Amino acid sequence: MSLWLNVFILFVILWLIEGYLKKINDNLSYLIELLEQNYKLDDNEQAEQADQTNEQVNQTREQVNQIRSRKDLYK
């Protein structure tokens, strides 16, 4: 084979490798974006759960205070 054919084949191989690496990079970027969105959703879910827990705690406190006030009436 001639030198020019070898050089041409080398550039084609490098061009193909570059294309595959770009596809891999794009796919990894997409996966990272999905993971970041997932973590944001997890944070939002945890915040919602914390809000619900706080509401339950406040309701329980109100109930306890009502029971205490009833006990005070019967004393």
Side-chain angles (χ1 to χ4, degrees), residues 7-68:
V7 170
F8 176 73
I9 291 173
L10 179 64
F11 278 115
V12 169
I13 291 172
L14 290 175
W15 178 72
L16 290 173
I17 291 172
E18 180 187 18
Y20 286 123
L21 289 177
K22 283 183 180 179
K23 285 184 181 181
I24 290 171
N25 186 32
D26 292 342
N27 289 336
L28 288 176
S29 297
Y30 178 69
L31 288 174
I32 290 170
E33 184 178 322
L34 287 177
L35 286 172
E36 288 173 349
Q37 290 175 0
N38 189 24
Y39 284 126
K40 288 178 184 177
L41 288 176
D42 288 344
D43 290 343
N44 290 338
E45 289 175 2
Q46 288 177 356
E48 289 177 8
Q49 288 177 353
D51 290 341
Q52 290 175 355
T53 303
N54 286 337
E55 288 177 15
Q56 290 174 351
V57 168
N58 290 334
Q59 289 174 355
T60 305
R61 284 182 182 155
E62 289 176 13
Q63 292 172 353
V64 167
N65 288 336
Q66 289 174 357
I67 293 171
R68 285 181 181 163

